Every structure is written in C-alpha cells, then in structure tokens.
Amino acid sequence: MKKSLILTHFFEPEWAIVNKINTIAKSSSITPIHCPTTEILEETLSKIQSDSRVLFFSDEGLISYVQSLCKNNYEFHFEIALFIDTKIESVANSVSEIEQVKYLIGKDQNESFGRDLAILIKKFKNSDILDLEKYLSFGADVHRTKIYNSKQKHDSVAEIFDFISGWGDPGYSHPYDDYARKVSEVTDELILNAIFNANPRLKSADRSLEFILSEAECVDVAWGFDGEVFGVSVKDYFGKFNRETVMQYISAQRHFDDVTGNSSAGLGLKLILERTHNLITNVEVERTTEVLALVRFDARNRKFEKRKKSVYYFSVNTKKIS
Amino acid sequence: MRAAAADSVMKFDGILDETTSFENLVSLAQPIEANSPEIVAADLSKIQRANSTGIVTWLRFVKQCPFPLKYVNSPKWLVSQFNMINGFFVNGSYVESFQVPFFCPEDESYFVFTMLVGIDIPILDSYTNFIVPNRMLNEKIYEVDIEPELYFSFISQNAKIFREKI
C-alpha cells in the first residue's frame, strides 16, 4: 500500500481541530504533520515521495494560497480538505476549479465531528469508499431496495416518508412530518439524479413517462436511522458523477430563467443540500456512483437549519487507485 | 398531483413531481381565464412534497399562465423554493400568506401558523434583528422556529413587487 500522510496548516489554527486530526491520524497509523508556517509546509511537500498519498487539511482563509499551491503539480496524490465557517455555496464557488479540493467541512464541532473526520481519514487511507453503513452507528438497521420502474421509485420514497412520519404520536404536534417531507424530497432527488442524469439512455427522456430500467441500469436505495443521524444513499452503476459538477451545482445561484430553460439547472442538488447536513459523493470511476445524504433530526427546526453543512467527494479508480 | 379550480381559486394536493403534467395545469386554468380574473389564488398547502422536476413544471406554468397568481397558505417547502430561486415571482405573481413553523419549549410541540405578508410580517428590505412575536395556543407559548433573515428573504428580495401588490 502507498504511504499515506496527513498535513495540516491553517490560517486560523484551532488547536482542538488540529489535535483531533492528529489523534485520529495516529490511531489510523498515518503520520500527521502540522506545519505552522507556509515555508514549513512547502518544504515538507517538497520532500514527499512521488508514490505517496497526501491529505492536506486547511481552512477557507487560505483558499487563494491553496490555489497557488496546487499549481505546483506535485507528483504524489494530493487531496485537500477545507474547514469552512461561511456559507458552503460561496466556498464551493471559490474552489470549484481547484480539483484537489474534495472536502468542504463545516466548522461545527457537533456530536459527530470526530466520527466524520475519522471516516474521512479511513476512507482516504483504504480507498474503501462505498456504503451508508460507514456513517451510521452500530445497531442501526439499514433498509435496502432496488428500483427498476416508476412505481418502485414512488413506493420507496413513500416508504421512507411513512417510516419517519410514523414516529410521532397521532394527534400530537410533532416535527416528524416535516422531517419525513425533507428526507423524502432528498431521496426523490437522489433517485431522479441516478435514473435520469446518470443514465445516458434516459438523460433527455420525458420524465413524465413511465420508465423501466434494465439490470445494469437499476438504482439501489439504502436508508437507516441510528438514533442521531438519518442517512439515505442512492447508487447507480455508471460512475460518472464528477467533482466539478457537484461544486458548480452547489455554488450556482438559481434564477427563474435558468431553471425553466432546461431540465432543472442543478436545482435538484441544491434542494438536496438545503435539506441535508452532510452530502457525500462516492465514485468508483466508470463503475458506481453513490450519493449519501445525512440529516440530523433536531427538535427545533431553527437548530436544524443553523447546523453547518459539509460536502465530501470521494473517488477511486478501481483499476488504479487514484 | 390533483387540482381543482373554482372562481378565482386553484387548489392542489398530492405530490408535485415528474408525473405533474404541464398540459393539465394549463387546462385547469382555461375555465378560470374565461372569467377574466384580475388575480387568482394558488393554494399549494395540501401538496405533501415536491421535487425539482415538478417545480420546473410549475414554474413553466406560472410563466405562461394567462392571469397573475397570488400564493396563499404557502407551505414551508414552497417558501424554501421562493428563497432558493431568484426571480420566482414572474408574470405578476406574489405571496399573500405563508406558513411559519413555531415551537413550544415547554413540551417540545410544533405548530405551523399562517401569516399574512404586510400584516403579520411587514414588508422590509432586511429582516436582520427582526423579532417575530411569540404566539399563544391552548395556553402554551410558541416561539418562532425559523431564522427570519433567511426565511423571510423572499419578501425582502421582492419588497418592491410585494409593496405594489399588497
């Protein structure tokens, strides 16, 4: 296995985050190196062997610097995670052309902050990227279904809606209907994307007509709740969803004319992000795309909406690990 | 999605998705158009949820609708679209009323109140520091459960249009 390294350098270092990364890296048998200055960072990078894999953590205060750093065309495999404090849409816009930036992590040290970092580092190290179960705590039941036609799409979204809305006591004013709506809208969008955007045969199909998918075109849906986080994943077997599309769709402003001018101008991905706390794309190039949405259910809608969002884009070339 | 039209009101229920037909929406508008209404109320409060394909179909309908629409009882998912899509209010459309979620800390219950633009929520150019008063229901105090600056941004961004209409 190629040697993995983790580097950190921040505009505004938060030692709690640096220490968290260090402990997780060490527990994963990866060497963490904190670089307090850009000079030390650049010297460290200049000594890294070409067959290494480097995950560099930084923050949005250094986007311009990161952009210039990436022009060095390092021979080793280089991925960048940025911690962000402002709106994810504007950061996604700034980094959309920096191909090494694959992870935008909301600086929200919530209950799962350490776990999310540990998953990122483990997936980076092992290149084993697929599956919702990585994000749900032990004990969560993961429900799985396959979609081959319009009815199955409708039924699977309805099943998720009923599953969540059923948690509230009838006659009692509870937020679960609202969460059921949010999660079923997210699921619907993910499935639409997998059926119509990923599949070249159906890209320009009339979506109002019933569809039938072959075995190679079928879409896998998985979902589960671990008591804290609700996760849903949708998988297609085309493996073509690229990082630039994710960042561009997240960052773009939607205008009436754009939306009505073509299929939806990325409205679906924006709608997903609006209702999600973590949006994770896993791509095995030319084989599989899996998009996961993780949602925390808070009693207060206000708390739900204040939570920082994170976007992760993992990709591996299954013939040659990239 | 199902729809019904009477006088100057169009009511919808079900799901606004890829099965929603643009042609059905147009045919629903035709008998109303015959009465040459000045404005027609669009009530989407019974729509359980929407996806992007359904929203695009709806927007295409609004663009070609022969009369202006005023949105009444606009549910939360629709408010989210008002806020997400710049220029949502074309062809003379605007919002008369919309739903706002509230929360009771005492028993963690949740309630949605319908508010009138220009009456319950004044038309402002910014909602920074705007405070929505608490509401009483069944002797319980409910606090607003949204960020006014974000949730009401469709009003501030379209303040000129709304002031002309309301």
Side-chain angles (χ1 to χ4, degrees):
Chain A
M1 185 179 282
K2 291 177 181 178
K3 187 180 180 187
S4 296
L5 281 171
I6 286 180
L7 302 185
T8 54
H9 172 66
F10 296 100
F11 180 69
E12 290 179 278
E14 282 187 28
W15 294 108
I17 292 178
V18 176
N19 292 337
K20 183 80 82 179
I21 293 169
N22 284 347
T23 52
I24 294 169
K26 285 175 185 168
S27 73
S28 302
S29 307
I30 300 179
T31 310
I33 303 170
H34 178 65
C35 305
T37 66
T38 53
E39 289 77 19
I40 294 173
L41 173 69
E42 286 165 25
E43 193 189 337
T44 308
L45 287 167
S46 69
K47 291 178 183 166
I48 292 173
Q49 293 175 347
S50 61
D51 63 346
S52 300
R53 304 183 79 244
V54 177
L55 176 57
F56 171 45
F57 285 93
S58 190
D59 58 24
E60 65 174 298
L62 288 174
I63 288 176
S64 300
Y65 174 70
V66 162
Q67 191 159 20
S68 62
L69 197 66
C70 289
K71 287 178 183 157
N72 287 329
N73 292 323
Y74 295 112
E75 287 186 10
F76 50 82
H77 180 87
F78 193 32
E79 295 189 3
I80 298 170
L82 293 180
F83 287 96
I84 60 172
D85 232 349
T86 55
K87 286 197 82 174
I88 200 161
E89 291 86 345
S90 53
V91 179
N93 187 39
S94 306
V95 302
S96 65
E97 289 177 7
I98 313 174
E99 63 178 295
Q100 292 88 345
V101 177
K102 294 190 166 187
Y103 317 106
L104 300 177
I105 306 170
K107 222 192 234 178
D108 183 1
Q109 296 200 42
N110 62 35
E111 307 83 333
S112 63
F113 184 71
R115 192 175 71 168
D116 289 348
L117 282 178
I119 295 168
L120 164 57
I121 289 170
K122 190 159 187 182
K123 285 172 74 164
F124 171 78
K125 183 188 172 193
N126 296 347
S127 297
D128 168 20
I129 59 173
L130 298 179
D131 212 351
L132 172 65
E133 281 184 342
K134 292 182 173 64
Y135 290 89
L136 300 178
S137 301
F138 176 76
D141 278 338
V142 175
H143 307 253
R144 296 179 193 276
T145 185
K146 279 184 182 288
I147 293 175
Y148 292 93
N149 57 47
S150 306
K151 184 179 180 305
Q152 287 170 339
K153 170 186 176 283
H154 177 270
D155 290 350
S156 60
V157 177
E159 188 183 359
I160 291 175
F161 184 93
D162 292 343
F163 178 78
I164 300 170
S165 68
W167 291 345
D169 293 334
Y172 180 75
S173 300
H174 57 76
Y176 295 114
D177 283 341
D178 194 43
Y179 283 124
R181 177 188 58 77
K182 280 185 176 122
V183 173
S184 54
E185 282 176 344
V186 167
T187 308
D188 197 332
E189 290 301 334
L190 292 174
I191 296 173
L192 272 182
N193 199 43
I195 292 170
F196 294 104
N197 295 80
N199 186 338
R201 182 176 70 86
L202 294 175
K203 217 159 203 158
S204 45
D206 180 349
R207 296 182 178 194
S208 67
L209 301 176
E210 300 232 335
F211 65 83
I212 295 174
L213 304 177
S214 67
E215 188 66 40
E217 296 172 320
C218 82
V219 169
D220 285 333
V221 180
W223 48 278
F225 180 62
D226 67 5
E228 297 288 338
V229 173
F230 191 97
V232 57
S233 80
V234 174
K235 206 186 278 180
D236 69 63
Y237 294 94
F238 295 97
K240 291 189 186 295
F241 203 23
N242 65 48
R243 190 203 72 91
E244 291 74 12
T245 306
V246 174
M247 295 296 178
Q248 283 166 7
Y249 280 1
I250 287 169
S251 61
Q253 286 277 319
R254 298 284 164 272
H255 191 275
F256 185 96
D257 292 331
D258 303 329
V259 173
T260 53
N262 63 36
S263 62
S264 67
L267 181 65
L269 200 62
K270 193 89 170 176
L271 196 146
I272 293 166
L273 187 69
E274 184 99 341
R275 289 149 178 72
T276 304
H277 296 121
N278 285 11
L279 178 64
I280 299 140
T281 306
N282 300 318
V283 178
E284 286 183 346
V285 179
E286 303 288 328
R287 287 192 178 184
T288 308
T289 296
E290 180 186 48
V291 185
L292 289 87
L294 305 180
V295 182
R296 280 189 165 272
F297 290 168
D298 295 300
R300 297 195 78 139
N301 174 66
R302 210 168 185 166
K303 187 175 178 191
F304 175 95
E305 298 198 339
K306 270 189 172 175
R307 283 187 186 276
K308 295 273 168 52
K309 296 176 188 297
S310 300
V311 171
Y312 300 83
Y313 182 88
F314 297 91
S315 70
V316 291
N317 189 325
T318 45
K319 290 174 189 160
K320 178 175 86 74
I321 291 174
S322 65
Chain B
M1 186 178 78
R2 292 172 296 275
D7 298 329
S8 294
V9 182
M10 298 171 86
K11 288 189 174 188
F12 305 87
D13 65 17
I15 297 166
L16 181 62
D17 63 6
E18 66 275 14
T19 62
T20 302
S21 155
F22 174 80
E23 288 71 26
N24 283 355
L25 290 171
V26 171
S27 62
L28 188 74
Q30 281 166 351
I32 300 178
E33 185 189 3
N35 299 329
S36 306
E38 281 184 20
I39 190 105
V40 172
D43 186 343
L44 285 79
S45 61
K46 300 286 187 220
I47 296 274
Q48 189 187 63
R49 60 181 177 80
N51 71 19
S52 57
T53 310
I55 290 161
V56 170
T57 303
W58 174 260
L59 291 175
R60 285 182 181 148
F61 164 68
V62 175
K63 195 175 178 179
Q64 295 189 20
C65 190
F67 40 76
L69 295 172
K70 66 173 176 185
Y71 293 94
V72 298
N73 302 320
S74 311
K76 215 175 135 200
W77 69 261
L78 185 56
V79 173
S80 157
Q81 298 306 316
F82 294 159
N83 287 323
M84 200 187 292
I85 300 169
N86 293 334
F88 195 101
F89 303 105
V90 294
N91 210 2
S93 63
Y94 69 99
V95 181
E96 182 181 81
S97 59
F98 64 108
Q99 297 179 351
V100 182
F102 278 68
F103 181 79
C104 173
E106 189 186 330
D107 65 353
E108 296 206 328
S109 62
Y110 174 93
F111 199 84
V112 170
F113 290 92
T114 298
M115 298 202 164
L116 291 163
V117 176
I119 296 173
D120 298 307
I121 304 297
I123 301 169
L124 302 176
D125 294 324
S126 166
Y127 290 91
T128 309
N129 302 323
F130 179 76
I131 294 169
V132 181
N134 292 342
R135 294 235 165 172
M136 286 288 290
L137 183 73
N138 299 329
E139 299 181 350
K140 289 190 293 189
I141 300 170
Y142 283 81
E143 300 170 354
V144 73
D145 200 17
I146 46 95
E147 288 295 324
E149 195 178 348
L150 300 176
Y151 198 73
F152 301 152
S153 66
F154 72 95
I155 306 176
S156 52
Q157 283 169 12
N158 298 282
K160 189 166 175 277
I161 295 174
F162 286 15
R163 284 191 187 109
E164 284 168 6
K165 298 282 184 183
I166 294 170

